[in-house]
Amino acid sequence: MVHLLELNTQPVQVNSLKLFYCLTEDGDDGNISSHITERFIKVLLTIIEASDDAEAMVTAMGIISKLPQESHMTQWLLDSGALKTILTCLTDQHKHVSHKKQVIENSVQALCRFTVSTNLEWQKRVALEGIIPVLVQLLHSGTPFTKQNAAISIKQFSESSYRLSEPIKKPSIFKCCLVAKETGCPAHLGTCSVESSFCILQANALEPLVRMLADQDDGTREASLNALLTLVDSEAPQSGSKVLANSNAIAPMIQLSSVPIPRLQERILIALERIFQLDDVRNKYKVVATMHLVEITQGKDSRMRSLAAKCLAQLGELNKQSSYF
């Protein structure tokens, strides 16, 4: 089948792509990993870049988006110029217009493998290609699936931001009198930029991510929440909490805490307990948060009841010796 993809006979190539896509979609990486070679990846990229068949191009990108998450495959993709190919697919408004939605969805999903926070070099290569602003734009205009995967990549970038933010250099005594004090990034407390520290504030990603918390799609809401909570999960949670409060993210998070999705509820309740350590935030949202939290303590899930009780205790609405803990 891999050999058939190299043939120029269009019907054979397209049908081979479709069949191989079905195999990758099946999720059994063990069956296909041994058949994936660097040459095969180059063939896929060539089809995406040069094929006049929109269906073939979309399917080839779909295969790339679902390749096993193995580091050597990601490196093959990088070495073969996959990032430039993906960027072209995301920004070229004229190529394969009829399939544009599918092209973008597959391309953004494919990007997620390059943005994992466990590999800083891959992240840097994506950032230097200028892809982060494109991802932020897709948070505004993409389909739910596109927004979800764009938020996943932004979240993975943001996980690296705190350690990449450059510490503010203290000026000498003489300079203190002449130069205004540099304040730095309000979330990461250092000097940030989109390309050097992947800062979601500098990328102007906060506003669309906060808006996505109210999306109708569960996956989109969860992905945006996870991206926002990287600001609280960092080494400066109080600074991140202030940024979220100033971005009007707290109210939709409280609303979202009532959604009966345990994984989502757990993330929000753990974050709210931390966020409510700030007096200003605690006082501002105490009344509305209490209503939602009390409702959760009446539910059947003991884990959620306990987490909600901890938030209520942080708000001063429940004794810390309560039987809820």
Side-chain angles (χ1 to χ4, degrees), residues 5-211:
L5 291 180
E6 299 178 24
L7 299 177
N8 290 324
T9 308
Q10 194 175 63
V12 174
Q13 189 182 72
V14 171
N15 287 319
S16 298
L17 283 168
K18 288 180 180 178
L19 183 53
F20 203 92
Y21 178 80
C22 290
L23 292 175
T24 58
E25 197 173 30
D26 182 54
D28 189 354
D29 293 348
N31 282 337
I32 67 169
S33 289
S34 60
H35 300 285
I36 306 296
T37 63
E38 188 169 9
R39 176 173 175 78
F40 172 69
I41 283 174
K42 288 179 178 178
V43 169
L44 288 177
L45 291 172
T46 299
I47 291 170
I48 295 168
E49 293 163 4
S51 177
D52 293 326
D53 189 301
E55 191 175 18
M57 183 252 202
V58 170
T59 308
M61 185 60 81
I63 292 172
I64 289 176
S65 74
K66 295 183 182 300
L67 286 176
Q69 299 289 328
E70 298 178 12
S71 59
H72 67 277
M73 289 189 195
T74 304
Q75 195 60 53
W76 285 342
L77 285 161
L78 286 169
D79 294 342
S80 301
L83 290 181
K84 289 188 182 298
T85 302
I86 290 171
L87 181 59
T88 299
C89 289
L90 292 175
T91 56
D92 189 340
Q93 299 300 315
H94 304 290
K95 189 174 183 180
H96 301 309
V97 174
S98 61
H99 289 70
K100 192 64 182 176
K101 183 183 76 171
Q102 294 95 325
V103 171
I104 291 176
E105 286 187 344
N106 289 350
S107 299
V108 175
Q109 186 179 21
L111 264 178
C112 292
R113 71 184 301 135
F114 303 105
T115 60
V116 290
S117 57
T118 51
N119 196 309
L120 200 54
E121 289 307 310
W122 294 351
Q123 288 187 321
K124 287 179 179 178
R125 290 185 65 170
V126 177
L128 290 174
E129 286 290 344
I131 291 177
I132 293 178
V134 178
L135 290 173
V136 174
Q137 182 57 43
L138 291 171
L139 295 179
H140 291 277
S141 59
T143 64
F145 188 74
T146 294
K147 290 179 180 179
Q148 177 181 339
N149 282 294
I152 288 171
S153 278
I154 289 171
K155 174 250 186 186
Q156 292 176 164
F157 273 121
S158 186
E159 288 174 334
S160 300
S161 294
Y162 190 86
R163 59 190 166 115
L164 292 176
S165 183
E166 291 286 337
I168 301 295
K169 295 180 180 178
K170 294 183 180 179
S172 64
I173 296 175
F174 177 73
K175 284 188 176 181
C176 278
C177 303
L178 301 175
V179 181
K181 184 179 179 181
E182 189 178 355
T183 56
C185 172
H188 306 114
L189 308 180
T191 302
C192 282
S193 74
V194 178
E195 291 187 352
S196 68
S197 63
F198 325 137
C199 177
I200 63 177
L201 277 72
Q202 291 292 321
N204 296 317
L206 276 183
E207 186 272 330
L209 286 171
V210 171
R211 186 157 29 85

Side-chain angles (χ1 to χ4, degrees), residues 252-306:
M253 283 173 58
I254 293 171
Q255 291 285 338
L256 202 53
S257 69
S258 296
V259 175
I261 302 175
R263 183 178 64 250
L264 197 63
Q265 276 190 326
E266 182 173 15
R267 285 285 285 143
I268 293 173
L269 294 174
I270 291 172
L272 286 178
E273 184 192 5
R274 188 175 298 181
I275 291 168
F276 287 151
Q277 292 176 18
L278 294 175
D279 291 341
D280 291 348
V281 178
R282 182 169 61 246
N283 294 334
K284 181 175 181 179
Y285 294 101
K286 182 175 182 176
V287 174
V288 64
T290 298
M291 292 188 294
H292 288 272
L293 293 169
V294 168
E295 183 179 346
I296 295 171
T297 62
Q298 307 304 311
K300 296 180 179 179
D301 191 320
S302 60
R303 170 67 172 162
M304 298 307 131
R305 290 203 308 267
S306 176

